[in-house]
Amino acid sequence: MVKERLLLDTNAYLRLAEKLHPLLNQPFGPGDARLFVIREFEKEFRNSPRLCSTFTWVEDQPYVLNRSRPVPIPRDKRQDIKRTKKFITDHVRSEGLTVSPVDAMALAIGRVLGMKVITDDRDMRVVADTFKIPTMITLALLKRMLREKHIDIAMVREIAVHWQANDDCPGNFRTDFRRYFSEAAPRP
């Protein structure tokens, strides 16, 4: 039985999955935590020429297979998720925030199913705070994986270099890297 489920937003998945394959539904840590994406990831990815051309590896068979089991949504929670997404979307519009429909769905699922959402998106974290949805930034997840011996510091550094080489660093990357790992972020 999965004790803790963590939900990756699209950007968190794209930042981690290539280097930490297989990423999804793999237990780690004493709490048997597992990472998931939402079903809507596939459509969002396919409908974005920018994502498709930047992250070509996403369509490679091993990654497609790893995503074939998105977060399970119990039938009795589907209407709650739909309503919660509407509340979130209305709030996003009224506050002038930039949160995509897919990200709003991830937040709604996180809220209804009690899942922490892994996101580096500032507006998503603002909305999550308003709706009392727990979040974690990607570097905090890497710190947890390191602490729980799911990865080592060499892999953390490799991921950090990869992000920089691909111009895909989260906001406050250098400051947060030092805060979580007590060292400067490695340079590519």
Side-chain angles (χ1 to χ4, degrees), residues 30 46 50 65 83 94 100 104 164 181:
R46 276 188 253 105
R50 183 187 65 80
L65 184 60
R83 280 191 294 275
S94 72
S100 74
Q164 293 170 83
F181 302 106

Side-chain angles (χ1 to χ4, degrees), residues 7-26:
L7 192 59
L8 295 165
D9 80 347
T10 297
N11 286 332
Y13 172 80
L14 293 172
R15 286 185 174 133
L16 296 174
E18 185 176 20
K19 293 293 181 183
L20 295 179
H21 184 74
L23 178 66
L24 304 175
N25 205 19
Q26 302 297 310

Side-chain angles (χ1 to χ4, degrees), residues 82-97 99 104 127 131:
K82 188 176 178 180
R83 280 191 294 275
T84 302
K85 181 186 178 201
K86 181 175 178 358
F87 288 133
I88 289 171
T89 302
D90 290 348
H91 176 76
V92 164
R93 275 194 212 108
S94 72
E95 296 297 314
L97 299 169
V99 175
V127 172
F131 286 87

Side-chain angles (χ1 to χ4, degrees), residues 8 10 13 19 35 38 58 76 104 130 132 146 150 157 182:
L8 295 165
T10 297
Y13 172 80
K19 293 293 181 183
L35 299 167
I38 64 174
V58 169
D76 65 334
T130 300
K132 308 229 179 318
L146 175 66
H150 187 64
R157 292 176 185 137
S182 303

